[in-house]
Short mmCIF file of all heavy atoms in Angstrom, two decimals:
data_model
loop_
_atom_site.label_atom_id
_atom_site.label_comp_id
_atom_site.label_asym_id
_atom_site.label_seq_id
_atom_site.Cartn_x
_atom_site.Cartn_y
_atom_site.Cartn_z
N ALA A 1 -12.79 -5.89 6.94
CA ALA A 1 -12.28 -4.56 6.60
C ALA A 1 -11.46 -4.00 7.76
O ALA A 1 -10.40 -3.39 7.55
CB ALA A 1 -13.44 -3.63 6.26
N TYR A 2 -11.92 -4.21 8.98
CA TYR A 2 -11.18 -3.76 10.15
C TYR A 2 -9.84 -4.49 10.25
O TYR A 2 -8.80 -3.89 10.58
CB TYR A 2 -11.99 -3.98 11.41
CG TYR A 2 -11.26 -3.62 12.69
CD1 TYR A 2 -10.97 -2.29 13.00
CD2 TYR A 2 -10.85 -4.62 13.57
CE1 TYR A 2 -10.28 -1.96 14.16
CE2 TYR A 2 -10.16 -4.29 14.73
CZ TYR A 2 -9.89 -2.97 15.02
OH TYR A 2 -9.20 -2.64 16.17
N ASP A 3 -9.85 -5.78 9.95
CA ASP A 3 -8.62 -6.56 9.96
C ASP A 3 -7.62 -6.00 8.96
O ASP A 3 -6.42 -5.88 9.26
CB ASP A 3 -8.94 -8.03 9.63
CG ASP A 3 -7.69 -8.86 9.43
OD1 ASP A 3 -7.07 -9.25 10.44
OD2 ASP A 3 -7.34 -9.14 8.27
N ARG A 4 -8.07 -5.65 7.76
CA ARG A 4 -7.18 -5.06 6.76
C ARG A 4 -6.67 -3.69 7.21
O ARG A 4 -5.53 -3.33 6.95
CB ARG A 4 -7.90 -4.93 5.42
CG ARG A 4 -8.24 -6.24 4.73
CD ARG A 4 -7.00 -7.04 4.38
NE ARG A 4 -6.52 -7.83 5.52
CZ ARG A 4 -5.27 -8.20 5.71
NH1 ARG A 4 -4.34 -7.84 4.86
NH2 ARG A 4 -4.92 -8.91 6.76
N TYR A 5 -7.54 -2.93 7.88
CA TYR A 5 -7.13 -1.62 8.40
C TYR A 5 -5.98 -1.76 9.40
O TYR A 5 -4.96 -1.06 9.31
CB TYR A 5 -8.32 -0.92 9.06
CG TYR A 5 -7.93 0.12 10.08
CD1 TYR A 5 -7.41 1.36 9.68
CD2 TYR A 5 -8.06 -0.13 11.44
CE1 TYR A 5 -7.04 2.31 10.61
CE2 TYR A 5 -7.69 0.82 12.38
CZ TYR A 5 -7.18 2.04 11.96
OH TYR A 5 -6.80 2.97 12.89
N VAL A 6 -6.11 -2.69 10.34
CA VAL A 6 -5.06 -2.88 11.34
C VAL A 6 -3.78 -3.39 10.68
O VAL A 6 -2.67 -2.96 11.00
CB VAL A 6 -5.53 -3.86 12.43
CG1 VAL A 6 -4.40 -4.13 13.43
CG2 VAL A 6 -6.74 -3.31 13.16
N ALA A 7 -3.92 -4.33 9.71
CA ALA A 7 -2.75 -4.92 9.07
C ALA A 7 -1.95 -3.90 8.29
O ALA A 7 -0.70 -3.94 8.27
CB ALA A 7 -3.19 -6.05 8.14
N ILE A 8 -2.62 -2.94 7.65
CA ILE A 8 -1.93 -1.97 6.80
C ILE A 8 -1.53 -0.71 7.58
O ILE A 8 -0.44 -0.17 7.39
CB ILE A 8 -2.81 -1.59 5.59
CG1 ILE A 8 -2.98 -2.81 4.67
CG2 ILE A 8 -2.21 -0.42 4.81
CD1 ILE A 8 -3.92 -2.60 3.52
N CYS A 9 -2.38 -0.26 8.47
CA CYS A 9 -2.12 0.99 9.19
C CYS A 9 -1.31 0.80 10.47
O CYS A 9 -0.63 1.73 10.91
CB CYS A 9 -3.45 1.69 9.51
SG CYS A 9 -4.39 2.17 8.05
N SER A 10 -1.39 -0.37 11.08
CA SER A 10 -0.63 -0.64 12.32
C SER A 10 0.00 -2.02 12.25
O SER A 10 -0.31 -2.90 13.07
CB SER A 10 -1.55 -0.53 13.54
OG SER A 10 -2.17 0.73 13.62
N PRO A 11 0.88 -2.26 11.27
CA PRO A 11 1.42 -3.62 11.09
C PRO A 11 2.21 -4.13 12.29
O PRO A 11 2.19 -5.33 12.57
CB PRO A 11 2.31 -3.48 9.85
CG PRO A 11 2.64 -2.02 9.77
CD PRO A 11 1.44 -1.30 10.31
N LEU A 12 2.92 -3.24 12.99
CA LEU A 12 3.73 -3.68 14.13
C LEU A 12 2.86 -4.12 15.31
O LEU A 12 3.31 -4.91 16.15
CB LEU A 12 4.68 -2.56 14.57
CG LEU A 12 5.71 -2.12 13.52
CD1 LEU A 12 6.58 -0.99 14.06
CD2 LEU A 12 6.58 -3.29 13.09
N LEU A 13 1.64 -3.60 15.38
CA LEU A 13 0.74 -3.95 16.48
C LEU A 13 -0.33 -4.95 16.05
O LEU A 13 -1.26 -5.23 16.81
CB LEU A 13 0.06 -2.68 17.01
CG LEU A 13 0.98 -1.60 17.59
CD1 LEU A 13 0.17 -0.37 17.97
CD2 LEU A 13 1.74 -2.14 18.80
N TYR A 14 -0.18 -5.48 14.83
CA TYR A 14 -1.24 -6.34 14.28
C TYR A 14 -1.52 -7.56 15.15
O TYR A 14 -2.67 -7.85 15.49
CB TYR A 14 -0.85 -6.77 12.86
CG TYR A 14 -1.88 -7.66 12.20
CD1 TYR A 14 -3.12 -7.16 11.82
CD2 TYR A 14 -1.59 -9.01 11.95
CE1 TYR A 14 -4.06 -7.98 11.20
CE2 TYR A 14 -2.51 -9.83 11.34
CZ TYR A 14 -3.75 -9.30 10.96
OH TYR A 14 -4.68 -10.12 10.36
N ASN A 15 -0.48 -8.28 15.53
CA ASN A 15 -0.68 -9.51 16.30
C ASN A 15 -1.24 -9.23 17.70
O ASN A 15 -1.92 -10.08 18.28
CB ASN A 15 0.64 -10.28 16.42
CG ASN A 15 1.07 -10.88 15.11
OD1 ASN A 15 0.24 -11.21 14.27
ND2 ASN A 15 2.38 -11.00 14.89
N VAL A 16 -0.94 -8.06 18.22
CA VAL A 16 -1.48 -7.69 19.54
C VAL A 16 -2.92 -7.23 19.41
O VAL A 16 -3.81 -7.67 20.16
CB VAL A 16 -0.62 -6.59 20.19
CG1 VAL A 16 -1.23 -6.14 21.52
CG2 VAL A 16 0.81 -7.08 20.40
N THR A 17 -3.17 -6.34 18.45
CA THR A 17 -4.53 -5.80 18.27
C THR A 17 -5.51 -6.88 17.84
O THR A 17 -6.63 -6.96 18.35
CB THR A 17 -4.51 -4.67 17.23
OG1 THR A 17 -3.56 -3.68 17.61
CG2 THR A 17 -5.89 -4.03 17.10
N MET A 18 -5.08 -7.73 16.91
CA MET A 18 -5.95 -8.80 16.42
C MET A 18 -5.59 -10.13 17.09
O MET A 18 -5.31 -11.13 16.45
CB MET A 18 -5.83 -8.92 14.89
CG MET A 18 -6.19 -7.65 14.14
SD MET A 18 -7.86 -7.06 14.48
CE MET A 18 -8.83 -8.40 13.77
N SER A 19 -5.60 -10.12 18.40
CA SER A 19 -5.31 -11.32 19.17
C SER A 19 -6.45 -12.33 19.00
O SER A 19 -7.56 -11.97 18.56
CB SER A 19 -5.15 -10.97 20.65
OG SER A 19 -6.38 -10.49 21.18
N PRO A 20 -6.21 -13.61 19.33
CA PRO A 20 -7.29 -14.60 19.22
C PRO A 20 -8.55 -14.21 20.00
O PRO A 20 -9.66 -14.46 19.54
CB PRO A 20 -6.65 -15.87 19.79
CG PRO A 20 -5.19 -15.70 19.51
CD PRO A 20 -4.92 -14.24 19.66
N LYS A 21 -8.37 -13.57 21.16
CA LYS A 21 -9.52 -13.16 21.95
C LYS A 21 -10.32 -12.09 21.23
O LYS A 21 -11.56 -12.14 21.18
CB LYS A 21 -9.06 -12.64 23.31
CG LYS A 21 -10.20 -12.23 24.23
CD LYS A 21 -9.70 -11.77 25.58
CE LYS A 21 -10.86 -11.35 26.49
NZ LYS A 21 -10.38 -10.90 27.82
N VAL A 22 -9.61 -11.11 20.65
CA VAL A 22 -10.30 -10.03 19.92
C VAL A 22 -11.03 -10.60 18.71
O VAL A 22 -12.18 -10.23 18.44
CB VAL A 22 -9.28 -8.95 19.49
CG1 VAL A 22 -9.95 -7.94 18.55
CG2 VAL A 22 -8.72 -8.24 20.71
N CYS A 23 -10.38 -11.49 17.99
CA CYS A 23 -11.02 -12.10 16.81
C CYS A 23 -12.27 -12.87 17.21
O CYS A 23 -13.30 -12.80 16.52
CB CYS A 23 -10.03 -13.02 16.10
SG CYS A 23 -8.64 -12.16 15.32
N SER A 24 -12.20 -13.61 18.31
CA SER A 24 -13.36 -14.37 18.78
C SER A 24 -14.50 -13.45 19.19
O SER A 24 -15.67 -13.73 18.90
CB SER A 24 -12.96 -15.26 19.96
OG SER A 24 -11.98 -16.21 19.58
N VAL A 25 -14.15 -12.33 19.83
CA VAL A 25 -15.18 -11.36 20.22
C VAL A 25 -15.85 -10.76 18.98
O VAL A 25 -17.08 -10.61 18.93
CB VAL A 25 -14.57 -10.25 21.10
CG1 VAL A 25 -15.56 -9.10 21.28
CG2 VAL A 25 -14.17 -10.81 22.46
N LEU A 26 -15.05 -10.43 17.96
CA LEU A 26 -15.61 -9.85 16.74
C LEU A 26 -16.55 -10.83 16.05
O LEU A 26 -17.65 -10.46 15.62
CB LEU A 26 -14.48 -9.45 15.79
CG LEU A 26 -13.67 -8.21 16.16
CD1 LEU A 26 -12.48 -8.05 15.22
CD2 LEU A 26 -14.55 -6.96 16.12
N VAL A 27 -16.13 -12.09 15.93
CA VAL A 27 -16.97 -13.08 15.27
C VAL A 27 -18.23 -13.37 16.08
O VAL A 27 -19.32 -13.53 15.51
CB VAL A 27 -16.15 -14.38 15.02
CG1 VAL A 27 -17.06 -15.50 14.55
CG2 VAL A 27 -15.07 -14.12 13.98
N THR A 28 -18.09 -13.42 17.39
CA THR A 28 -19.28 -13.61 18.24
C THR A 28 -20.26 -12.45 18.06
O THR A 28 -21.48 -12.66 17.96
CB THR A 28 -18.87 -13.71 19.72
OG1 THR A 28 -17.98 -14.82 19.89
CG2 THR A 28 -20.09 -13.91 20.61
N GLY A 29 -19.73 -11.23 17.97
CA GLY A 29 -20.59 -10.07 17.72
C GLY A 29 -21.30 -10.16 16.39
O GLY A 29 -22.47 -9.76 16.27
N VAL A 30 -20.62 -10.69 15.38
CA VAL A 30 -21.24 -10.89 14.06
C VAL A 30 -22.48 -11.77 14.19
O VAL A 30 -23.57 -11.44 13.68
CB VAL A 30 -20.23 -11.52 13.08
CG1 VAL A 30 -20.94 -12.03 11.82
CG2 VAL A 30 -19.16 -10.51 12.70
N TYR A 31 -22.34 -12.90 14.88
CA TYR A 31 -23.45 -13.85 14.98
C TYR A 31 -24.56 -13.34 15.91
O TYR A 31 -25.73 -13.67 15.71
CB TYR A 31 -22.93 -15.21 15.44
CG TYR A 31 -22.01 -15.85 14.43
CD1 TYR A 31 -20.76 -16.35 14.81
CD2 TYR A 31 -22.36 -15.93 13.09
CE1 TYR A 31 -19.91 -16.92 13.88
CE2 TYR A 31 -21.51 -16.49 12.15
CZ TYR A 31 -20.29 -16.99 12.55
OH TYR A 31 -19.45 -17.55 11.62
N ILE A 32 -24.20 -12.53 16.89
CA ILE A 32 -25.23 -11.94 17.76
C ILE A 32 -26.09 -10.95 16.96
O ILE A 32 -27.32 -10.97 17.04
CB ILE A 32 -24.58 -11.24 18.97
CG1 ILE A 32 -24.01 -12.28 19.94
CG2 ILE A 32 -25.60 -10.36 19.69
CD1 ILE A 32 -23.23 -11.68 21.10
N MET A 33 -25.43 -10.09 16.18
CA MET A 33 -26.19 -9.13 15.37
C MET A 33 -27.05 -9.85 14.34
O MET A 33 -28.20 -9.45 14.08
CB MET A 33 -25.22 -8.17 14.68
CG MET A 33 -24.46 -7.25 15.61
SD MET A 33 -25.55 -6.23 16.63
CE MET A 33 -26.38 -5.23 15.40
N ALA A 34 -26.53 -10.92 13.75
CA ALA A 34 -27.30 -11.69 12.77
C ALA A 34 -28.51 -12.33 13.44
O ALA A 34 -29.61 -12.35 12.86
CB ALA A 34 -26.41 -12.76 12.14
N SER A 35 -28.35 -12.83 14.65
CA SER A 35 -29.47 -13.46 15.36
C SER A 35 -30.56 -12.45 15.69
O SER A 35 -31.76 -12.73 15.54
CB SER A 35 -28.97 -14.12 16.65
OG SER A 35 -28.02 -15.14 16.37
N ILE A 36 -30.15 -11.26 16.12
CA ILE A 36 -31.13 -10.23 16.47
C ILE A 36 -31.98 -9.85 15.26
O ILE A 36 -33.21 -9.77 15.35
CB ILE A 36 -30.41 -8.98 17.04
CG1 ILE A 36 -29.78 -9.30 18.40
CG2 ILE A 36 -31.38 -7.80 17.16
CD1 ILE A 36 -28.91 -8.18 18.94
N GLU A 37 -31.33 -9.63 14.13
CA GLU A 37 -32.09 -9.23 12.94
C GLU A 37 -32.96 -10.37 12.45
O GLU A 37 -34.13 -10.16 12.08
CB GLU A 37 -31.14 -8.78 11.83
CG GLU A 37 -31.88 -8.38 10.57
CD GLU A 37 -31.07 -7.49 9.65
OE1 GLU A 37 -30.13 -6.84 10.14
OE2 GLU A 37 -31.38 -7.43 8.46
N ALA A 38 -32.44 -11.59 12.43
CA ALA A 38 -33.22 -12.73 11.93
C ALA A 38 -34.44 -12.98 12.80
O ALA A 38 -35.54 -13.23 12.28
CB ALA A 38 -32.34 -13.98 11.88
N VAL A 39 -34.28 -12.89 14.10
CA VAL A 39 -35.42 -13.10 15.01
C VAL A 39 -36.46 -12.02 14.83
O VAL A 39 -37.67 -12.29 14.77
CB VAL A 39 -34.93 -13.15 16.47
CG1 VAL A 39 -36.11 -13.08 17.44
CG2 VAL A 39 -34.13 -14.42 16.73
N SER A 40 -36.02 -10.76 14.71
CA SER A 40 -36.98 -9.66 14.58
C SER A 40 -37.79 -9.77 13.29
O SER A 40 -39.02 -9.59 13.30
CB SER A 40 -36.24 -8.32 14.64
OG SER A 40 -35.34 -8.19 13.54
N TYR A 41 -37.13 -10.09 12.18
CA TYR A 41 -37.85 -10.21 10.91
C TYR A 41 -38.78 -11.43 10.91
O TYR A 41 -39.90 -11.37 10.40
CB TYR A 41 -36.86 -10.34 9.75
CG TYR A 41 -36.19 -9.05 9.35
CD1 TYR A 41 -34.87 -9.03 8.93
CD2 TYR A 41 -36.89 -7.85 9.39
CE1 TYR A 41 -34.26 -7.84 8.55
CE2 TYR A 41 -36.28 -6.66 9.03
CZ TYR A 41 -34.96 -6.66 8.61
OH TYR A 41 -34.36 -5.48 8.25
N THR A 42 -38.31 -12.53 11.46
CA THR A 42 -39.12 -13.74 11.44
C THR A 42 -40.37 -13.59 12.30
O THR A 42 -41.48 -13.96 11.88
CB THR A 42 -38.29 -14.94 11.93
OG1 THR A 42 -37.10 -15.06 11.15
CG2 THR A 42 -39.09 -16.24 11.80
N ILE A 43 -40.22 -13.04 13.48
CA ILE A 43 -41.38 -12.84 14.36
C ILE A 43 -42.38 -11.89 13.72
O ILE A 43 -43.60 -12.13 13.76
CB ILE A 43 -40.92 -12.31 15.73
CG1 ILE A 43 -40.16 -13.39 16.49
CG2 ILE A 43 -42.12 -11.84 16.55
CD1 ILE A 43 -39.62 -12.94 17.83
N SER A 44 -41.89 -10.81 13.12
CA SER A 44 -42.80 -9.86 12.49
C SER A 44 -43.56 -10.49 11.33
O SER A 44 -44.73 -10.15 11.08
CB SER A 44 -42.03 -8.62 12.01
OG SER A 44 -41.14 -8.96 10.96
N ASN A 45 -42.95 -11.42 10.62
CA ASN A 45 -43.64 -12.09 9.52
C ASN A 45 -44.57 -13.19 10.01
O ASN A 45 -45.60 -13.46 9.38
CB ASN A 45 -42.62 -12.66 8.53
CG ASN A 45 -42.15 -11.64 7.52
OD1 ASN A 45 -42.74 -11.46 6.46
ND2 ASN A 45 -41.08 -10.94 7.86
N ILE A 46 -44.22 -13.84 11.10
CA ILE A 46 -45.11 -14.84 11.69
C ILE A 46 -46.42 -14.19 12.13
O ILE A 46 -47.50 -14.82 12.08
CB ILE A 46 -44.42 -15.55 12.87
CG1 ILE A 46 -43.33 -16.49 12.35
CG2 ILE A 46 -45.42 -16.32 13.72
CD1 ILE A 46 -42.52 -17.15 13.44
N MET A 47 -46.37 -12.94 12.52
CA MET A 47 -47.56 -12.24 12.99
C MET A 47 -48.46 -11.76 11.87
O MET A 47 -49.54 -11.20 12.12
CB MET A 47 -47.15 -11.06 13.88
CG MET A 47 -46.41 -11.49 15.15
SD MET A 47 -45.86 -10.10 16.15
CE MET A 47 -47.44 -9.49 16.75
#
């Protein structure tokens, strides 16, 4: 959704704003948040 926001609202800055580094940071953040939630739920159920 953020990618679509940048593409439509700031098309001239799209390639700069959504650089490979920024995209990698966003995807890494996705997997970090997923890991935190999965670990918390799994540990609570193991107990």
Side-chain angles (χ1 to χ4, degrees):
Y2 176 70
D3 172 78
R4 292 298 83 208
Y5 157 74
V6 176
I8 293 175
C9 297
S10 303
L12 298 179
L13 298 176
Y14 179 69
N15 290 331
V16 176
T17 305
M18 301 302 294
S19 65
K21 182 178 180 180
V22 171
C23 292
S24 297
V25 169
L26 287 173
V27 170
T28 301
V30 167
Y31 295 130
I32 288 175
M33 294 302 296
S35 299
I36 292 173
E37 179 159 338
V39 168
S40 63
Y41 284 144
T42 305
I43 290 178
S44 66
N45 276 272
I46 288 175
M47 297 177 70

